[in-house]
Structures are given as structure tokens and as C-alpha cells.
């Protein structure tokens, strides 16, 4: 769970930082990077929850 929290914190910092930089500079590159970071964070969260679901399904078997 600690790894998930660290990944979530890094994702929030990356997205928030790039949005702030986009607001300050007006450079659309930062907005694009924030969107890519958001999509990657969502994929990581879905994979993590899928692993939890698989663990719940397979745990009674073992």
C-alpha cells in the first residue's frame, strides 16, 4: 500500500506542477504533459485495483 501512496503522490505532484507551470508560462507543452501524466496515473490505479480483485478471487482457492 505504501508503493501505491507514493505513486499517487508523485502523480499528483507531476500533474499539479505541470498545470501550475502551464498557467504561469502559457506553454501548451506543460498542459500536454499534465494530460499524459493523468492518463498514466489512471492506468496505474486500474492495474492496481485489478490486482486486488484478482487476489480476492484467487485467495479462497489457496
Amino acid at each position: 500500500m505504501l508503493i501505491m501512496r507514493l505513486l499517487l503522490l508523485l502523480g499528483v505532484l507531476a500533474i499539479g506542477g505541470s498545470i501550475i507551470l502551464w498557467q504561469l508560462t502559457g506553454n501548451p507543452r506543460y498542459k500536454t504533459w499534465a494530460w499524459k501524466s493523468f492518463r498514466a496515473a489512471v492506468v496505474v490505479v486500474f492495474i492496481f485495483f485489478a490486482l486486488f480483485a484478482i487476489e480476492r478471487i484467487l485467495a479462497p482457492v489457496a
Side-chain angles (χ1 to χ4, degrees), residues 1 13-14 33 52:
M1 196 54 125
L13 288 175
W33 201 77
F52 269 146

Side-chain angles (χ1 to χ4, degrees), residues 16-45:
S18 60
I19 288 175
I20 289 171
L21 285 173
W22 171 59
Q23 291 291 324
L24 291 174
T25 64
N27 191 347
R29 175 179 50 146
Y30 294 117
K31 187 170 76 169
T32 303
W33 201 77
W35 178 243
K36 288 180 183 178
S37 299
F38 175 74
R39 289 190 321 201
V42 168
V43 168
V44 168
V45 167

